[in-house]
């Protein structure tokens, strides 16, 4: 199923193809994406195992790049040995950033203190490696920003993934060197606030992502999400910014390449 004209391609800047929900058919999911014009998929780790699996996927598919790191949910597992393995994995040239890291005070699966420590440690690791960072922030906007500022986390650039905050925070993040990435929730009927924010983020700072298998965009809500559906986020942004889908696909792919050094 090719949804778009032949020449039109887009990048999914945040996918979890190594999630168990893709165990049965990941190769078909990847083939569908490529055939549908998704030129590159950035596969994001959330613990050691999924980080290793992300690197493994880059060996089988030249359209995939990996990001390795430990999600705030798993911050309690971070120790020197874990960080040393993230470091080792990250030295692979197909690993383009560290993450996803950050703070999640909504689910609090690790204590705030463990999350802050893990976040700072991974920022420092990214800085030593000279790589950008991919940040997850849920209900922790102020603290995420203050740690970013203190640690100069945007020194090598970074991505704020699945952005759900307000405009002033987005402006601060952009000042710190971050790209703002939008996902499926932008297409939901109750996304008025996010739509207003997305309208004000300049086009040279916007990325699109699926965060699959989660956050399935309209009109596929209720189904498992997959990289092909990143087109729905791009279509929504095209509508919001009154641009053609071609322009949005082109510029978001360009921005992704620029921040991740692809
Ligand atoms: Ni994610």
């Amino acid at each position: 199923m090719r949804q778009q004209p032949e020449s039109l391609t887009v990048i999914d800047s945040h996918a979890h193809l190594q999630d168990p929900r893709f165990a049965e058919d990941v190769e078909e999911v990847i083939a569908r994406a490529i055939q549908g014009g998704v030129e590159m998929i950035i596969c994001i780790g959330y613990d050691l195992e999924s980080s290793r699996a992300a690197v493994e996927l880059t060996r089988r598919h030249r359209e995939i790049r990996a990001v390795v790191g430990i999600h705030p949910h798993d911050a309690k597992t971070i120790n020197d040995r874990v960080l040393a393995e993230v470091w080792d994995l990250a030295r692979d040239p197909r690993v383009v950033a560290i993450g996803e890291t950050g703070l999640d005070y909504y689910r609090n699966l690790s204590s705030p203190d463990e999350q802050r420590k893990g976040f700072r440690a991974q920022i420092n690791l990214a800085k030593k490696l000279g790589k950008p960072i991919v940040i997850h922030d849920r209900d922790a906007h102020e603290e995420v920003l203050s740690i970013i500022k203190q640690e100069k986390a945007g020194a090598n650039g970074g991505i704020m993934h699945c952005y759900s905050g307000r405009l002033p925070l987005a402006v601060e993040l952009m000042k710190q060197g971050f790209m703002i990435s939008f996902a499926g929730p932008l297409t939901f009927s109750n996304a008025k606030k996010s739509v207003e924010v997305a309208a004000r983020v300049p086009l040279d700072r916007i990325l699109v992502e699926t965060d699959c298998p989660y956050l399935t965009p309209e009109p596929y809500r209720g189904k498992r999400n997959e990289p092909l559906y990143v087109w729905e986020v791009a279509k929504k942004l095209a509508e919001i910014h009154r641009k053609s889908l071609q322009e949005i696909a082109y510029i978001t792919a360009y921005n992704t390449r620029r921040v991740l050094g692809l």
Side-chain angles (χ1 to χ4, degrees):
M1 170 186 56
R2 174 168 265 286
Q3 297 190 322
Q4 314 306 333
E6 200 63 44
S7 61
L8 191 51
T9 60
V10 72
I11 296 180
D12 181 356
S13 72
H14 194 116
H16 301 288
L17 291 170
Q18 71 285 59
D19 187 278
R21 289 175 69 187
F22 290 118
E24 304 277 294
D25 62 346
V26 69
E27 296 301 323
E28 289 152 51
V29 168
I30 293 167
R32 262 202 302 277
I34 294 168
Q35 222 199 345
V38 182
E39 61 169 283
M40 197 165 268
I41 302 166
I42 312 301
C43 188
I44 314 278
Y46 39 89
D47 57 13
L48 273 187
E49 198 190 334
S50 62
S51 295
R52 287 184 207 116
V55 177
E56 194 48 45
L57 277 165
T58 70
R59 308 241 181 276
R60 303 208 301 270
H61 297 278
R62 61 189 167 81
E63 298 85 356
I64 297 180
R65 294 291 179 279
V67 171
V68 297
I70 314 297
H71 194 282
H73 292 340
D74 285 304
K76 55 177 174 280
T77 68
I78 297 176
N79 56 36
D80 287 347
R81 189 191 61 78
V82 169
L83 290 171
E85 186 167 349
V86 172
W87 172 274
D88 280 343
L89 288 168
R91 288 168 63 188
D92 188 301
R94 291 197 159 197
V95 173
V96 293
I98 297 298
E100 57 186 290
T101 178
L103 302 175
D104 191 314
Y105 291 170
Y106 178 73
R107 294 188 64 192
N108 271 317
L109 297 183
S110 292
S111 73
D113 197 49
E114 290 163 330
Q115 293 190 42
R116 287 190 283 261
K117 272 195 196 142
F119 186 23
R120 287 186 198 272
Q122 290 180 84
I123 291 169
N124 284 307
L125 202 136
K127 280 163 64 184
K128 280 189 199 139
L129 286 157
K131 296 202 182 198
I133 190 146
V134 175
I135 294 183
H136 169 105
D137 162 18
R138 189 145 185 216
D139 291 358
H141 300 328
E142 292 309 316
E143 214 172 320
V144 164
L145 180 63
S146 88
I147 291 177
I148 285 172
K149 283 182 172 170
Q150 282 164 21
E151 304 283 350
K152 300 194 171 37
N156 303 303
I159 298 170
M160 181 58 77
H161 120 81
C162 189
Y163 191 68
S164 62
R166 293 159 38 119
L167 185 65
L169 177 67
V171 170
E172 284 296 317
L173 289 165
M174 289 187 275
K175 276 192 206 153
Q176 296 297 315
F178 280 78
M179 294 283 183
I180 309 296
S181 183
F182 290 95
L186 196 62
T187 68
F188 299 170
S189 56
N190 63 357
K192 196 163 168 279
K193 198 187 78 182
S194 293
V195 166
E196 280 166 19
V197 174
R200 306 282 294 275
V201 175
L203 284 177
D204 65 350
R205 289 305 187 108
I206 292 185
L207 308 188
V208 289
E209 64 170 278
T210 56
D211 200 21
C212 64
Y214 312 105
L215 303 179
T216 311
E218 292 291 1
Y220 303 109
R221 252 182 122 172
K223 288 179 65 176
R224 179 189 67 179
N225 198 3
E226 63 177 72
L228 181 63
Y229 300 161
V230 75
W231 283 114
E232 302 308 319
V233 183
K235 280 179 199 163
K236 185 68 188 185
L237 269 178
E239 186 191 308
I240 293 169
H241 276 264
R242 300 198 176 109
K243 298 283 180 194
S244 67
L245 180 58
Q246 184 137 23
E247 282 172 292
I248 294 296
Y250 180 85
I251 188 120
T252 55
Y254 176 83
N255 294 341
T256 309
R257 278 195 216 96
R258 190 155 56 97
V259 65
L260 297 178
L262 304 176

